[in-house]
């Protein structure tokens, strides 16, 4: 019997996705560059072995799948994907669908989509979130391509996706690069979310002098409330874990140097290109870069005389409540930025991105899944968040309650010397966004002074210049 679908790349994500597909009753043909990995995969498939057709060449793979063939590519993003597509072109036939499920840059996806258009083959760029566990038991799946090609793979993709109260977390989001763009912004938001959690951890550790397990308990408590989310849940678990080698808390033996693979950076680059402020995400990406400068930071610590972080005193219960609400407010602002970037891109690339659907398919399966995303889905669905999430009535109410805490925490952390780049960026964004009259009148005056750029007068039409006289640059 022929397979219904094919998959190339049996690494962490590919092998788990293949098992997930097989488990849902879809016969799958698999291929991996290194044959031993294919053998190992078949061994690991256990009772699902019968649903898997191992292949050792692309021709064999194509022959094993019933046409029109959907083939998922799950290899290292970048050049390997182009190589696989080029190789597949030789063995596939008209109407077959090539699906890139890796973390592609959406601009590559757009290029691949147009390169394949007219070739007879169809291209889908698909973002998959949820890590290894998600791939195996239900990821969040963000699809970009033609609607027709989505219809042809919808059944299998919705079957293998995560479910939120029975609703599948897989959807078609728009043409060409839409799926990979949304996945990129998902990751950008993930960077901000993780960074803000780490900043709160820093205040608890250094400002309040709490031990990892004690901090873990705080996160565990928070996970029962408004902050309920996968990232808070795993943070609690991480903080509770001990290192088997030394018996110390694991977090205490891990080097404070964070890695990144590019999606956070792309989010920021695209936000800048589109002219949409995404300051909390920018701060989170910059924080990872700064973290990687371990040697420089240690030298700077010596140069500045190990100032450390001052202890933060006061009523502990009140402080913890403030920290919880600060994280909550910061998170709302960061998500507002992420959604605003998607909204800008949707216009720029004519995707017509369905914001309520995006919030919905992020409610389960993906790394940023949270209770709050359900409220966001409602806000976008009712049209209340059409300009910015911060304008949705439900979020106005939440921010009104939470922003004083964010303000106090940013102030106290800054005084104590505990860096809070993402939280403070989120606060500054909120404060700038809600300020009916800002300070750019001065910027305009300066620009006119040195460059004769002109300015608008309040309540008048036209361009005006200031009375700068002979000292002015122009
Ligand atoms: P792994 O490193 O586990 O596996 C990489 C796979 O790519 C292997 O099958 C490898 O084959 C194959 N590969 C690498 N280079 C080539 C090449 N030049 N030609 C053919 N095959 C090649 O990666 P992951 O499974 O973690 O990631 C796969 C994709 O999924 C990436 O785009 C990643 O960004 C994305 N992703 C990963 C997530 C995660 O949590 N890990 C989450 C969401 C997306 P071989 O065995 O021969 O080396």
């Amino acid at each position: 019997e022929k397979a219904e679908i094919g998959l190339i790349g049996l690494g962490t994500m590919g092998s788990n996705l293949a098992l997930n597909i097989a488990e849902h009753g879809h016969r799958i043909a698999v291929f991996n560059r290194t044959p031993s990995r294919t053998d190992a995969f078949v061994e690991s498939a256990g009772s699902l072995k019968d649903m898997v057709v191992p292949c050792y060449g692309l021709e064999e793979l194509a022959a094993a799948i019933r046409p029109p063939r959907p083939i998922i590519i799950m290899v290292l993003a970048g050049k390997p994907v182009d190589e696989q597509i080029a190789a597949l072109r030789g063995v596939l036939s008209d109407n077959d669908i090539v699906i890139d499920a890796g973390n592609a840059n959406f601009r590559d996806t757009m290029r691949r989509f147009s390169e394949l258009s007219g070739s007879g083959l169809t291209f889908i760029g698909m973002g998959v979130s949820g890590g290894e566990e998600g791939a195996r038991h239900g990821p969040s799946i963000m699809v970009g391509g033609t609607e027709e090609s989505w219809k042809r793979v919808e059944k299998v993709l919705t079957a293998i996706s995560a479910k939120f109260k029975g609703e599948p977390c897989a959807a078609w989001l728009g043409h060409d690069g839409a799926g990979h763009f949304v996945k990129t912004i998902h990751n950008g938001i993930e960077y901000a979310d993780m960074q803000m959690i780490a900043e709160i951890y820093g205040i608890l550790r250094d400002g309040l002098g709490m031990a990892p397990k004690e901090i873990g308990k705080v996160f565990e408590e928070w996970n029962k409330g408004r902050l309920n989310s996968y990232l808070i849940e795993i943070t609690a678990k991480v903080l509770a874990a001990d290192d088997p080698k030394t018996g110390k808390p694991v977090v205490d033996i891990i080097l404070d140097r964070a890695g990144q693979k590019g999606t956070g950076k792309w989010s920021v680059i695209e936000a800048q290109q589109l002219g949409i402020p995404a300051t909390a995400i920018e701060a989170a990406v910059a924080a990872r870069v700064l973290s990687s400068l371990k040697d420089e930071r240690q030298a700077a610590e010596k140069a500045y005389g190990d100032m450390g972080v001052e202890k933060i005193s006061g009523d502990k219960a009140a402080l913890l409540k403030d920290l919880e609400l600060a994280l909550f407010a910061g998170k709302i602002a960061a998500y507002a930025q992420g959604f605003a970037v998607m909204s800008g891109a949707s216009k720029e690339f004519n995707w017509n991105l369905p914001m309520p659907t995006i919030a919905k398919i992020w409610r389960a399966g993906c790394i940023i899944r949270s209770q709050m995303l359900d409220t966001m889905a409602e806000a976008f669905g009712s049209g209340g968040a059409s300009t910015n999430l911060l304008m949705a009535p439900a979020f106005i109410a939440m921010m009104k309650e939470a922003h004083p805490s964010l303000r106090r925490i940013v102030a106290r952390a800054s005084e104590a010397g505990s860096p809070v780049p993402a939280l403070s960026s989120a606060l500054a964004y909120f404060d700038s966004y809600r300020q009916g009259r800002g300070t750019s009148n001065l910027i305009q005056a300066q620009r006119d002074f040195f460059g004769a750029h002109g300015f608008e007068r309040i309540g008048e039409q036209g361009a005006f210049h200031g009375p700068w006289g002979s000292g002015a640059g122009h």
Side-chain angles (χ1 to χ4, degrees):
E1 197 193 338
K2 295 231 176 196
E4 264 179 72
I5 189 165
L7 184 140
I8 297 173
L10 292 167
T12 309
M13 292 297 282
S15 57
N16 282 291
L17 212 56
L19 291 177
N20 186 356
I21 292 170
E23 193 170 61
H24 280 86
H26 304 276
R27 211 173 159 72
I28 182 164
V30 297
F31 167 79
N32 191 71
R33 176 183 62 176
T34 310
S36 57
R37 204 161 196 165
T38 310
D39 295 333
F41 170 74
V42 175
E43 274 318 300
S44 73
S47 61
L48 295 170
K49 223 182 248 181
D50 292 348
M51 298 299 288
V52 174
V53 187
C55 301
Y56 297 88
L58 289 183
E59 275 176 33
E60 190 188 348
L61 180 78
I65 309 165
R66 188 173 58 236
R69 312 170 177 87
I71 297 190
I72 297 174
I73 302 179
M74 198 43 143
V75 301
L76 203 67
K79 210 163 142 247
V81 175
D82 285 311
E83 288 166 4
Q84 285 305 318
I85 295 172
L88 278 173
R89 285 179 82 152
V91 301
L92 295 184
S93 37
D94 280 4
N95 296 318
D96 288 351
I97 305 180
V98 178
I99 305 166
D100 175 18
N103 270 337
N105 184 310
F106 83 103
R107 291 186 184 272
D108 285 335
T109 303
M110 289 170 83
R111 170 178 57 78
R112 289 169 185 144
F113 185 88
S114 72
E115 279 169 4
L116 280 191
S117 73
S119 72
L121 301 180
T122 308
F123 190 69
I124 284 181
M126 175 170 113
V128 178
S129 176
E132 190 175 350
E133 186 63 18
R136 179 65 185 86
H137 298 291
S140 173
I141 298 178
M142 298 148 252
V143 175
T146 64
E147 190 169 12
E148 193 224 333
S149 62
W150 156 250
K151 290 246 159 67
R152 283 173 46 203
V153 290
E154 183 177 357
K155 205 170 137 227
V156 51
L157 295 183
T158 49
I160 65 164
S161 75
K163 308 289 179 300
F164 180 85
K165 295 182 181 159
E167 283 183 67
C169 293
W172 174 67
L173 302 174
H175 212 241
D176 51 45
H180 275 140
F181 186 85
V182 171
K183 172 69 201 312
T184 298
I185 300 305
H186 164 285
N187 287 22
I189 293 173
E190 177 184 305
Y191 272 57
D193 211 335
M194 291 167 72
Q195 174 62 26
M196 288 180 184
I197 293 173
E199 290 171 13
I200 297 289
Y201 155 73
I203 297 170
L204 292 167
R205 184 188 68 182
D206 304 329
L208 276 72
M210 287 165 70
K213 286 199 176 54
E214 211 187 336
I215 303 174
K217 286 263 182 305
V218 170
F219 281 103
E220 200 183 315
E221 266 320 294
W222 287 351
N223 194 42
K224 294 174 191 157
R226 66 184 92 214
L227 285 172
N228 174 260
S229 62
Y230 174 70
L231 282 171
I232 295 285
E233 177 193 328
I234 65 164
T235 303
K237 288 185 181 158
V238 162
L239 287 161
D242 285 327
D243 170 41
K245 205 163 136 189
T246 57
K248 288 183 186 164
V250 181
V251 282
D252 288 349
I253 56 105
I254 300 176
L255 197 62
D256 55 332
R257 201 156 63 184
Q260 52 176 322
K261 288 198 288 189
T263 44
K265 181 172 80 180
W266 298 340
S267 299
V268 170
I269 291 172
E270 297 306 333
Q272 292 281 6
Q273 290 283 0
L274 292 161
I276 310 281
T279 51
I281 300 173
E282 286 168 18
V285 174
R288 285 205 195 180
V289 179
L290 259 162
S291 83
S292 72
L293 308 178
K294 180 77 175 170
D295 296 345
E296 271 183 64
R297 287 191 287 116
Q298 280 176 326
E301 186 174 78
K302 276 211 188 85
Y304 283 92
D306 191 8
M307 293 156 61
V309 173
E310 277 173 30
K311 288 285 166 278
I312 296 175
S313 57
D315 180 63
K316 194 165 170 192
L319 257 169
L320 290 179
K321 192 76 220 163
D322 259 357
L323 285 162
E324 181 188 9
L325 281 169
L327 188 49
F328 187 66
K331 185 169 161 164
I332 291 173
Y335 279 66
Q337 294 178 351
F339 274 101
V341 175
M342 288 192 287
S343 176
S346 182
K347 287 186 200 111
E348 175 75 15
F349 301 106
N350 295 313
W351 285 327
N352 203 12
L353 293 179
M355 300 305 164
T357 305
I358 293 170
K360 279 185 180 173
I361 62 171
W362 286 354
R363 290 178 303 180
C366 67
I367 304 298
I368 62 170
R369 61 186 183 259
S370 71
Q371 184 185 301
M372 197 197 281
L373 273 160
D374 196 31
T375 321
M376 290 184 193
E378 275 169 37
F380 283 109
S382 67
S386 58
T387 44
N388 188 299
L389 187 65
L390 289 175
M391 292 307 287
F395 285 88
I396 293 176
M398 287 187 262
M399 279 308 270
K400 276 187 174 168
E401 184 193 352
H403 80 80
S405 296
L406 178 58
R407 203 171 299 293
R408 280 193 292 270
I409 291 304
V410 168
R412 299 200 70 170
S414 305
E415 270 175 1
S418 190
V420 283
L423 287 169
S424 59
S425 301
L427 175 64
Y429 173 75
F430 170 70
D431 278 339
S432 306
Y433 188 74
R434 63 166 185 85
Q435 199 174 36
R437 175 152 171 86
T439 54
S440 294
N441 47 328
L442 184 65
I443 305 278
Q444 283 301 83
Q446 290 163 335
R447 292 180 69 237
D448 186 54
F449 189 102
F450 66 68
H453 294 293
F455 53 75
E456 296 168 289
R457 291 183 79 98
I458 295 169
E460 283 182 50
Q461 293 289 324
F464 298 87
H465 291 286
W468 315 129
S470 59
H474 61 277

